Amino acid sequence: MNKPTNLFTNDCVSSSRIIYTPSRFARTSLMYLQETGKLKAIRPHVSSRQNLQSYLLLLITEGSGWIEYEDRHYELKTGDLALIDCKRGYSQSSSEELWAARWCHWNSVNMPAVYNKIRERGLKPVFHPEDNGFYVEILKELYETANGNSYVRDALINEILTRMVTELLKETVYEEEKPAGVSAEAEKIDVGEIKAYIDTHYAAPISLVFLADCFYFNKHYLARAFKDAYGMSVGVYIQIVRIGKAKELLRFSSMNMEQISYECGFCGDANYFSRVFKKVEGCSPSEFRKNWMGGKHVKE
């Protein structure tokens, strides 16, 4: 059983933690827990890790300290979070204002890509979340679940970790300065209106520059505002809408590939349409149609 243990026998830290052993199924198919717990520093101390196949979420609940990560020095205060890829190595230290913290180490086969996406979207290794209470409660829930006896405990832990990672993705904000010349009006940009325009005009030539001119916004700020709101670039969203419409026509119409490419914004270029479709869906439009039509014949 995975039960709480007090692992520190020195006079630096008082802690209660669970070192968790997930099943083989969890390791290969789910987000899985490695360790979770809470601690209180008794005196200032330093600890270091490197080459761990793990991701760390550390929440400071009292006091302050520092983390060294990726050759940078970050200060952490009460309410701050650190999100660390432990394979890259880090060290952490409590200040004279002794800290208390909750944390979890976890991993999954997809976490490297997820972590990179979180960083690409602008989240720093140390940040102050808008809703600190969410992370307090989810780390408590994770601890209690790991300490429980449910026969579906790995699945429950996967669900909790998924909620946690989803919230981390929502935290991704762009902290760099806005481009020069962005007006106060641009700060009120309604990207929902732009999304709605794409949803209804996907068959026409659309680009970021076109949309910026059409809606009278700086193209750089428009690009960032759209990505902040929907988690993807304008160009990727246009492609998703076009491919979605193409899938509908492939399944529920008898149009040939050239006609579908016209209808979905690929300018009647069936070859280009086919290349883009295969890149997104992993199969050609013809293969998609055949698979979903259940053997019904549609003239190409």
Side-chain angles (χ1 to χ4, degrees), residues 193-241:
E193 185 179 359
I194 293 167
K195 177 179 176 293
Y197 182 91
I198 296 169
D199 289 341
T200 55
H201 294 82
Y202 57 85
I206 307 176
S207 67
L208 175 63
V209 173
F210 171 82
L211 291 169
D213 290 342
C214 186
F215 288 90
Y216 305 104
F217 290 118
N218 176 285
K219 69 176 183 179
H220 300 291
Y221 185 66
L222 170 57
R224 185 166 54 181
F226 193 94
K227 194 167 187 179
D228 281 346
Y230 300 112
M232 65 186 77
S233 69
V234 171
V236 168
Y237 183 72
I238 292 170
Q239 184 179 90
I240 287 174
V241 172

Side-chain angles (χ1 to χ4, degrees), residues 34-203:
Q34 297 163 313
E35 179 180 306
T36 187
K38 55 185 176 179
L39 63 82
K40 172 67 178 177
I42 299 172
R43 64 183 179 86
H45 64 280
V46 178
S47 61
S48 301
R49 305 278 192 282
Q50 61 181 357
N51 296 322
L52 295 180
Q53 298 292 330
S54 180
Y55 293 84
L56 166 68
L57 186 74
L58 176 69
L59 169 64
I60 307 305
T61 55
E62 295 178 31
S64 64
W66 297 273
I67 275 189
E68 298 283 344
Y69 179 62
E70 296 179 331
D71 298 320
R72 290 193 60 181
H73 183 84
Y74 297 94
E75 183 178 9
L76 290 91
K77 298 180 180 179
T78 302
D80 285 345
L81 279 166
L83 179 61
I84 303 295
D85 177 356
C86 301
K87 188 175 182 180
R88 303 179 189 183
Y90 69 97
S91 65
Q92 60 190 45
S93 57
S94 174
S95 70
E96 295 292 336
E97 186 184 0
L98 299 174
W99 67 13
R102 285 185 174 272
W103 82 92
C104 71
H105 282 277
W106 85 101
N107 207 344
S108 78
V109 293
N110 294 319
M111 265 310 298
V114 173
Y115 184 81
N116 289 338
K117 175 59 68 175
I118 289 171
R119 294 295 302 275
E120 282 175 16
R121 293 177 63 182
L123 194 65
K124 306 301 183 186
V126 171
F127 63 99
H128 193 90
E130 183 176 347
D131 183 5
N132 177 273
F134 170 86
Y135 295 99
V136 173
E137 292 304 317
I138 206 155
L139 287 169
K140 287 181 180 177
E141 184 181 359
L142 190 60
Y143 186 96
E144 291 166 1
T145 302
N147 194 36
N149 297 315
S150 173
Y151 73 98
V152 290
R153 188 169 45 173
D154 280 339
L156 294 172
I157 287 171
N158 171 72
E159 189 273 331
I160 296 167
L161 289 171
T162 299
R163 277 192 278 128
M164 185 181 79
V165 170
T166 299
E167 192 67 20
L168 289 168
L169 283 162
K170 292 180 182 178
E171 299 283 355
T172 53
V173 293
Y174 294 85
E175 299 180 0
E176 63 268 26
E177 294 182 1
K178 289 182 289 188
V182 175
S183 67
E185 292 300 318
E187 295 185 6
K188 301 175 183 178
I189 184 171
D190 181 2
V191 290
E193 185 179 359
I194 293 167
K195 177 179 176 293
Y197 182 91
I198 296 169
D199 289 341
T200 55
H201 294 82
Y202 57 85

Side-chain angles (χ1 to χ4, degrees), residues 1-51:
M1 298 298 294
N2 296 283
K3 290 297 182 183
T5 54
N6 290 304
L7 297 184
F8 288 117
T9 57
N10 57 37
D11 60 352
C12 292
V13 174
S14 172
S15 70
S16 176
R17 65 182 66 198
I18 296 172
I19 298 178
Y20 192 80
T21 304
S23 66
R24 180 178 297 179
F25 170 73
R27 287 182 177 275
T28 58
S29 305
L30 304 175
M31 285 194 181
Y32 60 89
L33 181 66
Q34 297 163 313
E35 179 180 306
T36 187
K38 55 185 176 179
L39 63 82
K40 172 67 178 177
I42 299 172
R43 64 183 179 86
H45 64 280
V46 178
S47 61
S48 301
R49 305 278 192 282
Q50 61 181 357
N51 296 322

